[in-house]
Amino acid sequence: MAAHDNSRQAKQALAALAFNRRRMLALGGLAAGAGALGACGSNTGRGSSDGVNLYQWYHQYGEAGTKEAAEKYAGAYEDATVTINWVPGDYDTTLSSGLLAENPGDYPDVFESHLNRSMVDSGQIVPLDDLFEGVLDDFTDIDVKRNSIDGKIYGIQMIDDPQFLYYRPSLLADAGIAEPTTFDELAAAAAELTDSDVKGLFLGNDDSATKLFQPIVYSAGQTLLTDDFQIGFDKDTVIQGALQVKALHDSDSLLIGAPTEAWDPSSIIQGLCAIQWCGLWALPQIIDTYGDDIAVMPFPGFGGGAQTVYNGGWSTFVNAKSEHVDEAKAFAKWLWIDNEEYIQDWCLSYGFHIPPRKSMAANADALAEGPAATAVQISQDFGWGDDPNWTPTMETAVDDMMTHIVLEGADPSAEFDAAAQTIQTELDSIFG
């Protein structure tokens, strides 16, 4: 029985990593069209007296200079030789294979990802609580929660990436439109701003229906799961929101089939849309195009609910399989908890991200004014983050529900009941 359980947990862990792919595309920086398995190694560490070798894995960020920065950080570390594996393409698939590898050097000692319960249940990662001694209160509650399972912290947040809507104030002003605060106002604005050359709104090509499920839930003040691992949202809220999304999709206001996904700001930069869902990382590039004529707003509320901001980002983890777990933990702490110079560099020099340490974020001058300051403020006022207990099976259930309701016109009540049953079965299998 134990062997069977371990095998099941390992498969769940691989599914959890694959589950992150859609979210990674939304988070930005995952280069589209790159080869899936062509990892690129760079050994730039100085090395330690006892010859410890560590392998650190990153997905391929899209911002210029990020790979060189990662190599610089590795080269500055004096207590081990750190080799960077910069993975283009489908990072999840490559990481999944790497975590199953047996030989040191073929698997990462330290790697970036997003926490899911199956990573813990399958024994892939080690707790990092001791690394946070004296600094835990300097991390946001959202970041601590998304990196914790059953009271233990497994990940160190590297960057915070709030996502919201970009728009040009001049376009709204010319059309006599105030900044939308409700979803109905957003849909009306998108319709008003749509003409033969420009669509009013771009939410993404592949997930513009499915990505709105969680904003519907959080807008109503609900959650995906309760603290005692029950379904945290109700049927009426979800159906009402899904029907609002369907009405938007049935209109002619959405940009569909853009050259790049919504993580890339090219659509609003090229004037293909008036309003675009994207993330803070894109702000410098958008400002280069529009100067002062750019603003950001939280995603409008559904059905009289609150506005919302999805706070994404990346975390670093230590592989339980590593032959140098203690040394890997020490390196992760040195780079992602203690090193203000490198954290600030990583967060602010290659696109904009919020430093996860609150004290460091307060000293981030680049985020202190204009749209950047607004982005930081709305992420604090309206932000929510990932729940590591929300599994790939649960996400697939609600994605299918939204797709069937919004794009296919299926019966909302039946679709909700089917999704809720799948989620409850998953909860029962995990928590009893």
Side-chain angles (χ1 to χ4, degrees):
M1 179 62 73
H4 173 78
D5 288 343
N6 288 338
S7 175
R8 178 176 181 273
Q9 290 167 351
K11 290 178 180 178
Q12 288 177 332
L14 296 181
L17 290 169
F19 159 56
N20 285 325
R21 173 162 175 74
R22 182 176 67 83
R23 182 151 296 156
M24 286 180 191
L25 288 170
L27 288 171
L30 184 62
L37 300 175
C40 177
S42 298
N43 185 342
T44 54
R46 299 179 184 178
S48 64
S49 58
D50 56 2
V52 172
N53 294 298
L54 299 176
Y55 295 85
Q56 183 185 22
W57 285 27
Y58 294 82
H59 82 284
Q60 179 176 313
Y61 287 75
E63 297 90 343
T66 47
K67 179 174 181 288
E68 292 77 11
E71 293 172 344
K72 178 181 72 174
Y73 308 154
Y77 191 60
E78 297 182 346
D79 293 333
T81 298
V82 181
T83 299
I84 300 301
N85 200 17
W86 194 255
V87 183
D90 189 350
Y91 178 72
D92 287 330
T93 298
T94 307
L95 180 60
S96 296
S97 300
L99 291 174
L100 292 177
E102 295 297 330
N103 297 321
D106 293 334
Y107 58 74
D109 298 280
V110 180
F111 63 94
E112 62 175 10
S113 189
H114 307 92
L115 182 62
N116 191 281
R117 172 171 285 275
S118 55
M119 298 164 70
V120 176
D121 290 345
S122 62
Q124 288 185 328
I125 53 179
V126 299
L128 304 178
D129 301 77
D130 55 314
L131 306 187
F132 289 85
E133 184 176 355
V135 299
L136 183 59
D137 289 343
D138 202 26
F139 287 83
T140 67
D141 292 341
I142 289 176
D143 286 340
V144 173
K145 181 177 181 180
R146 75 164 119 220
N147 286 300
S148 298
I149 292 284
D150 297 336
K152 293 183 178 180
I153 304 175
Y154 289 89
I156 305 171
Q157 196 74 14
M158 301 158 54
I159 53 177
D160 282 333
D161 278 332
Q163 299 179 26
F164 36 73
L165 295 176
Y166 283 97
Y167 69 95
R168 292 174 59 193
S170 64
L171 292 182
L172 270 64
D174 290 345
I177 300 171
E179 180 180 291
T181 60
T182 71
F183 189 82
D184 287 341
E185 290 174 354
L186 176 64
E192 182 68 22
L193 294 167
T194 295
D195 59 30
S196 59
D197 298 317
V198 179
K199 292 294 185 179
L201 180 62
F202 181 45
L203 299 176
N205 292 321
D206 65 340
D207 59 1
S208 55
T210 58
K211 75 170 22 167
L212 295 185
F213 168 75
Q214 295 192 30
I216 290 170
V217 170
Y218 285 97
S219 177
Q222 300 175 12
T223 59
L224 300 179
L225 300 173
T226 63
D227 291 340
D228 58 350
F229 307 119
Q230 301 298 316
I231 294 174
F233 49 87
D234 66 65
K235 186 173 184 176
D236 289 345
T237 295
V238 171
I239 289 178
Q240 180 184 9
L243 291 177
Q244 287 183 278
V245 177
K246 176 174 170 51
L248 176 64
H249 269 262
D250 289 344
S251 73
D252 191 40
S253 305
L254 281 181
L255 174 61
I256 303 293
T260 59
E261 255 303 336
W263 55 262
D264 186 327
S266 294
S267 290
I268 193 169
I269 286 175
Q270 295 173 6
L272 302 180
C273 62
I275 305 171
Q276 177 175 339
W277 177 309
C278 198
L280 178 60
W281 59 83
L283 181 56
Q285 191 175 351
I286 298 175
I287 288 177
D288 283 346
T289 301
Y290 292 119
D292 293 336
D293 189 23
I294 196 68
V296 302
M297 61 179 169
F299 200 85
F302 288 85
Q307 297 165 291
T308 63
V309 172
Y310 170 56
N311 282 334
W314 289 87
S315 299
T316 199
F317 300 89
V318 172
N319 190 351
K321 187 183 291 186
S322 172
E323 292 186 336
H324 304 289
V325 167
D326 289 341
E327 291 86 350
K329 288 173 60 177
F331 171 67
K333 182 178 187 296
W334 172 83
L335 180 54
W336 297 121
I337 292 181
D338 297 337
N339 201 316
E340 179 167 1
E341 177 187 352
Y342 289 162
I343 292 172
Q344 295 280 28
D345 181 64
W346 187 246
C347 289
L348 301 174
S349 298
Y350 319 97
F352 282 172
H353 316 269
I354 302 175
R357 292 283 299 274
K358 289 185 284 189
S359 59
M360 297 182 190
N363 292 325
D365 292 341
L367 306 179
E369 59 184 12
T374 303
V376 172
Q377 188 63 53
I378 63 176
S379 73
Q380 295 170 354
D381 294 343
F382 307 111
W384 52 273
D386 298 311
D387 185 338
N389 293 296
W390 184 253
T391 70
T393 297
M394 299 174 192
E395 180 65 23
T396 297
V398 297
D399 284 354
D400 289 346
M401 174 193 69
M402 292 293 290
T403 297
H404 296 160
I405 295 173
V406 173
L407 302 183
E408 300 170 12
D411 176 62
S413 179
E415 291 297 327
F416 180 91
D417 290 345
Q421 182 58 56
T422 298
I423 295 168
Q424 190 59 56
T425 299
E426 179 81 345
L427 288 170
D428 291 343
S429 71
I430 297 172
F431 301 107

